[in-house]
Amino acid sequence: MKNRENGLVSIIVPVYRAAAYIADTIGMVFSQTYGRWELLLVDDCSGDGSVKAIEKTLSAYPHHPAETVSENIGHMEEYLCGEGKKVVLICKNRNEGAAAARNTGLDLAGGQYIAFLDADDIWVSDKLEKQLSFMKKKRAGFVFSAYEFGDESARPTGRVVHVPESLTYKEALSRTIIFTTTVVLDRAIVPDELMRMPEVESEDTATWWQILRAGHTACGLDETLAVYRRPRKSLSSNKCKAVKRIWNLYRRQEKLSVLASAFYFVFWAYRATMRRI
């Protein structure tokens, strides 16, 4: 296990066919007002030029030569980007999905705090600073924030998802309101084994539930600190898949009875619908 540096934020980004976004993602992290971070970019065999785009973006910074780190990872390069800032490019040998990519990043993270960011989503410039201040004020190990829907170009649409002050396990079962790109976790409070994502559909929701099920409470900062990019897709297809995923999480992951699953599902469906209209 790596030594953890107090106050350092390890930002984990799974990269898969993100060539169109990744330069902006890196620039967005550099623009954060909080200055102590490491950005872990885990390329999951993209094959679309994502790695070349990353290397081009970071070419001005000194970096360590590639090295083999495990049988699942081809190589890792560290780019030193100034005091308190580092970018780590991790190239996997085989495609294993977003959950495994995030777990790889977690295994290599050296920070006290873990922040998740998807390559196509947007952070406001003081996102980390505000959340860490909020986390310390609440003495919380798990925080998340409000966010806004964006179009396929990440332009905000004005539709904001507000969040509650706190969320327990039972409350979370009926409202999948925690957006991955807004989550920050403190490893001094939440152990790594609870942060590891299971390889199931909706792995992020399953992870938040396993943390909350262990007795932790998530604290919500009701301030819009991120934009969720929504590319044009079949809305009916997405809704059908979401229904199937949430039901499978209730039954297979959480081992809830049919009656309990149906109870939580009704409230989830209502809130999910209201969040999108």
Side-chain angles (χ1 to χ4, degrees):
M1 181 182 294
K2 291 186 65 174
N3 292 327
R4 297 173 190 169
E5 184 177 335
N6 289 337
L8 180 70
V9 181
S10 295
I11 304 163
I12 300 174
V13 180
V15 178
Y16 185 67
R17 297 180 181 175
Y21 311 120
I22 199 63
D24 289 340
T25 304
I26 294 169
M28 183 172 58
V29 173
F30 271 92
S31 72
Q32 287 293 301
T33 56
Y34 187 82
R36 294 186 60 200
W37 50 260
E38 62 174 0
L39 174 61
L40 297 108
L41 302 169
V42 186
D43 182 74
D44 200 26
C45 298
S46 293
D48 71 334
S50 292
V51 171
K52 288 184 178 180
I54 293 169
E55 292 172 340
K56 180 180 179 181
T57 302
L58 298 172
S59 60
Y61 298 100
H63 70 281
H64 297 304
E67 59 176 308
T68 300
V69 292
S70 84
E71 64 177 11
N72 293 330
I73 303 174
H75 67 269
M76 178 174 72
E77 297 181 15
E78 293 186 353
Y79 293 80
L80 306 177
C81 306
E83 185 176 355
K85 300 178 178 67
K86 178 174 69 175
V87 178
V88 184
L89 171 59
I90 304 149
C91 298
K92 301 189 69 169
N93 273 335
R94 60 191 184 196
N95 174 269
E96 296 180 301
R102 292 191 184 106
N103 290 340
T104 295
L106 180 64
D107 290 340
L108 297 170
Q112 174 186 353
Y113 303 105
I114 299 295
F116 295 104
L117 172 62
D118 285 345
D120 56 347
D121 293 327
I122 305 298
W123 279 356
V124 301
S125 61
D126 55 355
K127 187 257 188 194
L128 289 178
E129 182 179 4
K130 285 186 173 179
Q131 283 195 285
L132 291 176
S133 176
F134 176 73
M135 178 174 269
K136 291 174 184 176
K137 178 182 177 181
K138 293 290 187 178
R139 297 182 180 178
F142 182 174
V143 300
F144 63 107
S145 78
Y147 63 94
E148 186 170 3
F149 285 109
D151 62 17
E152 58 188 356
S153 298
R155 290 186 294 261
T157 63
R159 294 165 58 191
V160 174
V161 177
H162 293 283
V163 298
E165 290 185 6
S166 64
L167 201 63
T168 63
Y169 173 63
K170 287 188 176 180
E171 291 168 338
L173 287 174
S174 64
R175 54 189 313 183
T176 50
I177 200 169
I178 300 175
F179 178 34
T180 304
T181 284
T182 72
V183 169
V184 178
L185 298 162
D186 186 346
R187 301 168 95 180
I189 299 174
V190 180
D192 280 15
E193 56 265 28
L194 292 180
M195 299 184 199
R196 294 188 65 81
M197 295 197 172
E199 295 186 24
V200 297
E201 291 186 324
S202 295
E203 72 283 344
D204 46 359
T205 296
T207 303
W208 316 145
W209 288 357
Q210 73 185 10
I211 293 172
L212 299 177
R213 191 186 336 113
H216 298 277
T217 297
C219 291
L221 174 58
D222 194 23
E223 185 170 344
T224 306
L225 300 179
V227 176
Y228 171 31
R229 186 194 304 262
R230 298 183 74 199
R232 289 182 180 177
K233 293 179 180 178
S234 168
L235 292 178
S236 60
S237 174
N238 284 348
K239 289 176 182 177
C240 289
K241 290 179 180 178
V243 166
K244 183 178 179 180
R245 287 198 302 265
I246 196 72
W247 183 259
N248 286 339
L249 285 182
Y250 289 145
R251 297 288 288 134
R252 298 176 185 175
Q253 197 69 20
E254 300 307 307
K255 312 297 185 185
L256 298 179
S257 68
V258 172
L259 185 60
S261 298
F263 173 82
Y264 288 116
F265 178 82
V266 168
F267 288 98
W268 170 83
Y270 172 76
R271 286 168 169 153
T273 300
M274 296 302 296
R275 195 162 62 237
R276 286 168 169 78
I277 62 174

